[in-house]
Amino acid sequence: MTPERLLSTAIAPALLELQQCAISDSPEARRFLLAIALQESALTRRRQFITGAGETGPAASFWQFEQGGGCKGVLTHFLVAPCMRRMCEHYNVAPTPAGLWEAMRYQDI
């Protein structure tokens, strides 16, 4: 995955979707999301790689969310959870940490 492709196929569409949750699209938001993905996965793996064990780590997606961390957090935080649950419904994803984690392995938006 190239940074340009991630911006056009995932980050820009995601920010467009998130406008209904009062999250604005901006150059800063795009840079921030791209920087996280580059730092966490170098855009090379959708599952956390552990030396000697392969892709067996607890984190998933280019942003490396863990079920009990980021996935649980966005589904339970009082400001974010209502919108995140609507997004899960929109994408036919179970609004659970496990459901979101599994979907993030294959759905970049």
Side-chain angles (χ1 to χ4, degrees), residues 60-79:
S61 89
F62 290 129
W63 290 271
Q64 298 291 289
F65 268 52
E66 295 181 15
Q67 284 188 57
C71 291
K72 179 180 177 184
V74 297
L75 292 168
T76 59
H77 188 278
F78 74 99
L79 288 175

Side-chain angles (χ1 to χ4, degrees), residues 6 33 35-50 54-71 100-101 104-105 108:
L6 186 68
L33 289 169
I36 293 169
L38 287 166
Q39 173 66 35
E40 292 295 328
S41 68
L43 305 182
T44 61
R45 300 193 187 275
R46 294 174 187 273
R47 182 79 192 270
Q48 186 176 14
F49 184 84
I50 300 192
E55 292 184 342
T56 60
S61 89
F62 290 129
W63 290 271
Q64 298 291 289
F65 268 52
E66 295 181 15
Q67 284 188 57
C71 291
L100 182 57
W101 181 85
M104 288 180 70
R105 294 179 60 200
D108 296 328

Side-chain angles (χ1 to χ4, degrees), residues 5-107:
R5 184 156 177 79
L6 186 68
L7 279 167
S8 68
T9 64
I11 293 173
L15 287 169
L16 181 64
E17 292 271 350
L18 290 170
Q19 287 179 359
Q20 63 184 297
C21 300
I23 296 172
S24 298
D25 185 356
S26 68
E28 293 82 10
R30 290 173 182 227
R31 280 194 299 269
F32 185 66
L33 289 169
L34 184 57
I36 293 169
L38 287 166
Q39 173 66 35
E40 292 295 328
S41 68
L43 305 182
T44 61
R45 300 193 187 275
R46 294 174 187 273
R47 182 79 192 270
Q48 186 176 14
F49 184 84
I50 300 192
T51 303
E55 292 184 342
T56 60
S61 89
F62 290 129
W63 290 271
Q64 298 291 289
F65 268 52
E66 295 181 15
Q67 284 188 57
C71 291
K72 179 180 177 184
V74 297
L75 292 168
T76 59
H77 188 278
F78 74 99
L79 288 175
V80 179
C83 181
M84 195 64 225
R85 291 181 184 283
R86 284 193 308 275
M87 289 292 122
C88 284
E89 183 178 328
H90 179 76
Y91 282 95
N92 204 27
V93 171
T96 64
L100 182 57
W101 181 85
E102 185 62 32
M104 288 180 70
R105 294 179 60 200
Y106 307 103
Q107 171 56 273

